[in-house]
Amino acid sequence: MLINCVAYQNGTKLADISVEAISDYVVRPDCFVWVALFDPSDEELELMAEEFGLHELAVEDARKGHQRPKIEEYGSSMFTVLQTVDIDPANPDGDLIVGEVAVFVGRNYVLSVRRKTPQGFQNVRARAEAEPENLARGSGFVLYVIMDTVVDRYFPVLARLEDDLERLETEIFRGTPSAKNIEAFYDLKYRLMVLKHAVASLMEATAKLFGGRVPSVCLGAQEYFRDVYDHLQRINAGIDSQREMLQTGISVTLALVNIADSQVTKRLAAYGALITVPTLLAGIYGMNFDNMPELKSVWGYPLTLTTMLVIDVWLFFKFRKNNWL
Amino acid sequence: MLINCVAYQNGTKLADISVEAISDYVVRPDCFVWVALFDPSDEELELMAEEFGLHELAVEDARKGHQRPKIEEYGSSMFTVLQTVDIDPANPDGDLIVGEVAVFVGRNYVLSVRRKTPQGFQNVRARAEAEPENLARGSGFVLYVIMDTVVDRYFPVLARLEDDLERLETEIFRGTPSAKNIEAFYDLKYRLMVLKHAVASLMEATAKLFGGRVPSVCLGAQEYFRDVYDHLQRINAGIDSQREMLQTGISVTLALVNIADSQVTKRLAAYGALITVPTLLAGIYGMNFDNMPELKSVWGYPLTLTTMLVIDVWLFFKFRKNNWL
Amino acid sequence: MLINCVAYQNGTKLADISVEAISDYVVRPDCFVWVALFDPSDEELELMAEEFGLHELAVEDARKGHQRPKIEEYGSSMFTVLQTVDIDPANPDGDLIVGEVAVFVGRNYVLSVRRKTPQGFQNVRARAEAEPENLARGSGFVLYVIMDTVVDRYFPVLARLEDDLERLETEIFRGTPSAKNIEAFYDLKYRLMVLKHAVASLMEATAKLFGGRVPSVCLGAQEYFRDVYDHLQRINAGIDSQREMLQTGISVTLALVNIADSQVTKRLAAYGALITVPTLLAGIYGMNFDNMPELKSVWGYPLTLTTMLVIDVWLFFKFRKNNWL
Amino acid sequence: MLINCVAYQNGTKLADISVEAISDYVVRPDCFVWVALFDPSDEELELMAEEFGLHELAVEDARKGHQRPKIEEYGSSMFTVLQTVDIDPANPDGDLIVGEVAVFVGRNYVLSVRRKTPQGFQNVRARAEAEPENLARGSGFVLYVIMDTVVDRYFPVLARLEDDLERLETEIFRGTPSAKNIEAFYDLKYRLMVLKHAVASLMEATAKLFGGRVPSVCLGAQEYFRDVYDHLQRINAGIDSQREMLQTGISVTLALVNIADSQVTKRLAAYGALITVPTLLAGIYGMNFDNMPELKSVWGYPLTLTTMLVIDVWLFFKFRKNNWL
Amino acid sequence: MLINCVAYQNGTKLADISVEAISDYVVRPDCFVWVALFDPSDEELELMAEEFGLHELAVEDARKGHQRPKIEEYGSSMFTVLQTVDIDPANPDGDLIVGEVAVFVGRNYVLSVRRKTPQGFQNVRARAEAEPENLARGSGFVLYVIMDTVVDRYFPVLARLEDDLERLETEIFRGTPSAKNIEAFYDLKYRLMVLKHAVASLMEATAKLFGGRVPSVCLGAQEYFRDVYDHLQRINAGIDSQREMLQTGISVTLALVNIADSQVTKRLAAYGALITVPTLLAGIYGMNFDNMPELKSVWGYPLTLTTMLVIDVWLFFKFRKNNWL
């Protein structure tokens, strides 16, 4: 589905143009065309490939989706794949929604292909058009604005995962940890790895857009790409810290659950002792020997009951003191 | 066993030729010969080595098999070893079938030697011949088509392992985890490492076929090899994620099995308490003291039974509340 | 809030100057201006950006805060972000206080922006002014003095964490480890990772200030930056050692808590045996067989009691010897 | 002890020569001398050092032994230390036998010094002499033949360790794991690390013998050294896989042993319940109340016994169903 | 404290000289001065700094101590910090004694500053003077002799730690592992990390003294520094192996202690079963039913006792067979 198709000159919008007119504008040296597609059909993609002269391997990747984040050069043009990661508003504790934005960038065109991403990129175009002096840097700046938007959307996702972790930590140390917490940790880890996946590959790829040899379309926006890289590093470091705490959290929870269970077993065993001792005494006076003088005594029965009680009270406090109860 | 032996000129098939004719075609600058062998005898390999002038170490490796994936240059020619990994159709949960494809590539020849691989490569030749403009790039493109086919066959294997992992995760969190799950995790890990083995070495080797200094036969197909590399990276990242989840899964399962057992012990100890308390009461009234007025009472027996019941009901709900039962 | 704004010439203080006068001094080749801000408003920052001609991305980072430590070059000027890490004097066992110092350095200006850091940097200026021959090296030396001060403040924090770890280790090996110790370990790990975060990124960034290609403003102070790097390495190595011991400490504590519990269960089971054996004996002589000659004997009762005692004493010492009690 | 001392010309054996004659042959440009020592005395080594002009540090290393595998250049000559690893035929499950082969290689000499290695290297010389066209490449080829022989002997050792691991895995999953299995895993890990030690350092060193700048004596045999490197990589990858499985195996076994024990405890507790319930019933009818009508009934006793049986049978099947028995 | 101060010419000792005379000798191109200090006062260090023209940062490091091992260049002179690691002879199982040796090396001077190191370096000077042809290489050779001595003293420390590990391993597998073993492992790990700390940083730094660009004072002794590097690598590899075994050892011990405890619990539960079964039987014949024909029988009592015994003997052997006892 074609979202929009606009030609720009010196950083200002010229006009919304038709797809067929693209090739006319692309050849004008001072112009560039910015096209946005959403879940395009194979025919739409094929048409774009012809208009812009895209490389078949890149088109194939954009068509199939399910790529890892990457930045590839094909001659003087570039092919970038970004993953968008969103919390599902309908099920915030469920799996993260992973979408894909493929961006083709040439000296005078930008083609973005969005798939599955719930949030649109309308504000991206608005933001870019609001800074004509920067937009005049050309297609490289558009790529920066798209990447920056995608990367900035990782922050709330990470923050959410950090909140989840903190809540879990409070639960296991304040309440009684259970097998349910373990599953929650496990799920959290899974979601964290989805985010890690999107971030790590992109970070690695972005490092090539500033510093040493830089693709020509990105030359004027190097410092901007370094800024994106810096954000990615920040998120990545946050993910790694969280991953380490999570790993420790899982083993601690597993151990705490086990400890909680064996403490109950321990307490039950201690209570058991409080029962078996008077049972032994009762057994002794239940024996049928002829010669058991205590049995004849009037005080035998009440004394025995008192003895049972005294022993149990004494044991109870002894166990308490030893932390056995 | 010779599968086929074909000469090509400018990307189109010239003719099926006899093995003896190979050396005649190899010297013609605009031709190349593509030979496919399956489980060849030592003599067949020796003959090929002579016809193509192959290096003795490479021939030795192809003869012995059981190599790790690698790409080696011998002067201007190349020797590539690929591992095919397939699920055994007869036993999909059993060990993966690892086969081997050794490919010798020179400026105007390609020799592939397949061993143990259950799936053939007939469609590879068909696919290559269907793109004469690409086939005209020469032997490097043929190498790409073979590698691409082998690598694409890793995806369903990985997907299968991911399904297995997901099924195991559901089992341990939804059902009752058992020692059997642990063995299943362990087996899965083993199969994952077989795949990792095939992928990691090949990925590392493929990185040398594009970018910096590239073997001359691969020069025209650099972007294609980068695409193969990209697929390998994707599989590799998937394997690593899965490996991490698997490791966590194993420890979680081990702990859950242990927790399940000690919970049963805990519950049995709690039920035990429900038995021992009335037993104590029965023991008390089984004592043989002369002076036990309750024994004479008509209501003694039914009251005692009621007391037993009341205590047990009270304990039962108390234990329930404490999550001891 | 503006802390101070001073112009220097040849390493000696010229005068406290007004913000508006900055641009006059900055153009004088033999002068440099050193401005310190604390929690500045957006307007103050904007004004500085104009006076010094700062890059918008760097200003944005300084405005938003919450950056990771980094050193970036913008043309011939530099932007440095440092994290200060302090123990909260009001709650020394609580979370560490992480503040931020952003430093803009050009050939003839230094602008430091401090946020949330409880300790001020007055002594930094005093120290720098006390060494006019070094201050004459220019703005790079000022950057060194600021970095050195920030880094030197990490040492007492690390020392405190090391003391905490040592105290915890003594507790688990000398006393009885409990779930409380585990939480203390977990908290300590969290605080350690906060420090690690501040140190690791800065160390990596500092490595670019000496040795190979060095930003021009730092050229005269290379050996000083290597010294800062060396301190960072020392702290980093200390953190890594502690982290490893901490990880081991957590697993050891978890295991020891579990061991302590199952030892109590074991001892209770052993004590239980001391009760059940005489109970069996009492049960036997409580049977109602007509023909039990022992029951008639005068010595039957005392002998049975003695037997019970002898068995229990024997069992007690046997269990002791086996380390079951 | 001198094993042999032979002079070669153009790849063919000239003559067995005396030690004193070595220096005469070494100066002839078309000759090289190959000397093999076994457990040499200090005097023998000193004599060799003089004849060949060896560097004192290398001689010191060869004299003392217990070096890690390495390859060092001293001017135009090379000093190589290899570790041989063998299974002790007298005690195949015991420690591996680690021997040492130090090789001095110059443009026209090879001196090998073997220590503790049980297997000799006679067949090495035979193999080299069987390929005069390769031996004509000079001393570098002799080094290759020695290294190749040493490395090829690692394969059966690795295979043996893999068999041991597989046997252990079968034992823990099929039989009942015990503390004995843990010790076996631990021992296996130790032996694996001995092999790893020999392989990893050598692999790293061998990488310098092909590709980039190569020591002059190895120039003609680069592809052969790459082959050795490839074998080392294969072994190394095998070791790493096995190490990972082993680590997992140890934790799985530890957990399984613990699980097995707590399952027995669980089952004993369940059987205990089958005993305590009828004991309670017996206790009730052992009470001495005057008014217990059941006691008078003719059917009281058999009914009680039947009730006991029925309860136990019911519990038994209930526990079975719950997997508690 | 000044240990000694000697001037050398062409590798031979000229004379013991006074501190004031140092600057006279240092300017003579064919001379070098070697000064050794032990725990120097600030004044002594200041005096040396003046005589030799040392850099203030290096002097500061030598004054404060507690540095990590490192090698730094200041112009054409070098500053080296080494850590000595010794076993405390008064308490061989206690903490290792870490001392420090700082060495300043210029073209014609060597200044060593020793702190806390229990063993002196007299034999170092003796050894250097014994090889005048090597000492003639100048100050770089003196640095080598000092480093070599420090590094050689690591070997017995490592050997001692390896012995300790082996003793602990024997204890846990042969005897009964206890919480005490865990603490011993933990302490051993701590000591190992102290050694690792000294070795790893130094190894990394030493790598810069041979091979590529080498500080000018070390040029003539490159092969010697490579030898030191090689020793450090050997120690480092030994430490890493031991660390891995230690980590495994800790988890194995923790698990074995737990297993030992739960095995006792298991055995006590099994013995408990041997008691409860006859108790049930006794309970049954302790019931007060009127109609229990067995009670009248003369053989009732002895038969019951025999039944109890037979059941227990049968259970005992059954439990033995199942490895429950």
Side-chain angles (χ1 to χ4, degrees), chain C:
Chain C
M1 197 171 67
L2 181 78
I3 303 292
N4 39 32
C5 172
V6 186
Y8 296 86
Q9 192 168 31
N10 297 326
T12 14
K13 182 171 174 173
L14 266 187
D16 283 283
I17 62 174
S18 71
V19 172
E20 290 70 27
I22 289 175
S23 44
D24 304 337
Y25 284 89
V26 165
V27 294
R28 288 165 54 176
D30 54 344
C31 271
F32 77 89
V33 179
W34 178 1
V35 185
L37 299 177
F38 177 67
D39 266 340
S41 65
D42 287 7
E43 292 73 36
E44 283 178 310
L45 261 183
E46 218 38 67
L47 184 61
M48 290 296 162
E50 253 170 62
E51 293 287 327
F52 292 122
L54 308 174
H55 194 283
E56 57 166 319
L57 286 172
V59 174
E60 185 67 13
D61 281 350
R63 197 179 62 72
K64 286 200 299 190
H66 299 297
Q67 301 296 313
R68 48 191 289 281
K70 62 178 173 185
I71 296 176
E72 288 178 344
E73 287 182 72
Y74 288 96
S76 67
S77 69
M78 284 171 62
F79 176 59
T80 304
V81 178
L82 308 167
Q83 278 184 357
T84 60
V85 178
D86 290 277
I87 292 164
D88 187 349
N91 177 15
D93 288 329
D95 283 351
L96 296 169
I97 302 179
V98 178
E100 197 170 302
V101 182
V103 190
F104 297 83
V105 184
R107 205 183 55 73
N108 36 23
Y109 65 86
V110 176
L111 166 63
S112 72
V113 180
R114 179 158 62 89
R115 284 185 192 281
K116 279 189 63 187
T117 312
Q119 292 181 273
F121 284 92
Q122 279 70 3
N123 58 341
V124 175
R125 194 178 288 265
R127 174 182 157 196
E129 293 178 354
E131 303 178 34
E133 76 287 4
N134 274 329
L135 195 52
R137 296 169 192 248
S139 54
F141 184 75
V142 174
L143 177 62
Y144 157 70
V145 178
I146 294 175
M147 286 178 71
D148 194 45
T149 308
V150 168
V151 169
D152 273 356
R153 286 179 188 169
Y154 294 150
F155 283 102
V157 178
L158 179 61
R160 164 86 202 205
L161 297 181
E162 282 171 350
D163 287 354
D164 285 359
L165 177 58
E166 217 163 289
R167 216 190 50 237
L168 274 171
E169 287 169 352
T170 313
E171 269 179 50
I172 61 164
F173 285 122
R174 298 291 168 259
T176 350
S178 72
K180 223 172 140 165
N181 294 123
I182 299 166
E183 192 176 357
F185 269 117
Y186 197 88
D187 280 359
L188 186 52
K189 171 155 196 184
Y190 185 80
R191 280 185 283 156
L192 195 65
M193 284 179 74
V194 167
L195 186 59
K196 170 89 188 176
H197 219 258
V199 169
S201 306
L202 185 56
M203 189 174 85
E204 192 193 311
T206 307
K208 290 181 236 152
L209 300 189
F210 63 91
R213 198 202 70 84
V214 170
S216 58
V217 292
C218 300
L219 270 178
Q222 279 197 58
E223 276 155 359
Y224 291 89
F225 286 113
R226 189 177 62 191
D227 198 56
V228 170
Y229 180 73
D230 190 63
H231 290 182
L232 284 165
Q233 268 199 313
R234 191 137 53 96
I235 296 170
N236 198 47
I239 291 172
D240 284 346
S241 299
Q242 205 188 333
R243 196 155 62 143
E244 192 172 333
M245 292 312 284
L246 225 156
Q247 199 61 44
T248 308
I250 289 179
S251 17
V252 166
T253 311
L254 284 171
L256 286 179
V257 172
N258 205 16
I259 286 169
D261 276 340
S262 55
Q263 270 178 343
V264 172
T265 306
K266 182 187 79 176
R267 294 182 67 189
L268 282 166
Y271 279 118
L274 299 189
I275 306 291
T276 51
V277 172
T279 302
L280 169 58
L281 216 65
I284 287 171
Y285 288 112
M287 293 191 296
N288 297 319
F289 287 102
D290 285 354
N291 175 27
M292 293 177 74
E294 301 97 315
L295 295 179
K296 316 292 171 202
S297 155
V298 179
W299 297 104
Y301 180 48
L303 262 176
T304 304
L305 289 185
T306 313
T307 309
M308 287 176 175
L309 202 72
V310 166
I311 290 179
D312 268 11
V313 167
W314 179 74
L315 276 178
F316 183 83
F317 284 105
K318 200 173 154 63
F319 286 0
R320 259 287 139 88
K321 215 185 103 207
N322 284 351
N323 203 21
W324 293 10
L325 265 182

Side-chain angles (χ1 to χ4, degrees), chain B residues 55-56 66 68 70 73-74 183 186 189 243 254 261 264 282 285-288 295 298 301 304, chain D residues 169 174 223-224 226 230 233-234 241 244 248 255 263 266 276 280 287-292 294:
Chain B
H55 193 284
E56 59 166 316
H66 299 298
R68 49 190 288 279
K70 62 180 174 183
E73 287 182 73
Y74 288 96
E183 191 175 359
Y186 197 89
K189 171 156 196 181
R243 195 156 61 142
L254 285 171
D261 276 341
V264 172
Y285 289 112
M287 294 193 293
N288 297 320
L295 295 181
V298 178
Y301 180 48
T304 303
Chain D
E169 286 169 355
R174 300 287 168 262
E223 277 155 358
Y224 291 90
R226 189 177 63 191
D230 191 62
Q233 268 198 311
R234 191 136 55 96
S241 298
E244 194 174 331
T248 308
Q263 270 179 344
K266 184 187 76 175
T276 52
L280 169 59
M287 294 192 294
N288 297 319
F289 288 102
D290 283 356
N291 176 27
M292 292 177 73
E294 301 98 314

Side-chain angles (χ1 to χ4, degrees), chain B residues 2-21:
Chain B
L2 181 77
I3 303 292
N4 40 28
C5 173
V6 184
Y8 295 86
Q9 192 168 31
N10 298 326
T12 12
K13 184 169 172 174
L14 266 187
D16 284 283
I17 61 175
S18 71
V19 172
E20 289 70 27

Side-chain angles (χ1 to χ4, degrees), chain B residues 197-224:
Chain B
H197 219 258
V199 170
S201 306
L202 185 56
M203 187 175 86
E204 190 192 313
T206 308
K208 289 183 236 149
L209 299 189
F210 63 92
R213 198 202 69 83
V214 170
S216 57
V217 292
C218 299
L219 269 178
Q222 279 198 60
E223 277 155 359
Y224 291 90

Side-chain angles (χ1 to χ4, degrees), chain D residues 261-282:
Chain D
D261 275 340
S262 54
Q263 270 179 344
V264 172
T265 306
K266 184 187 76 175
R267 295 184 67 188
L268 282 166
Y271 278 119
L274 299 189
I275 306 292
T276 52
V277 171
T279 303
L280 169 59
L281 216 65

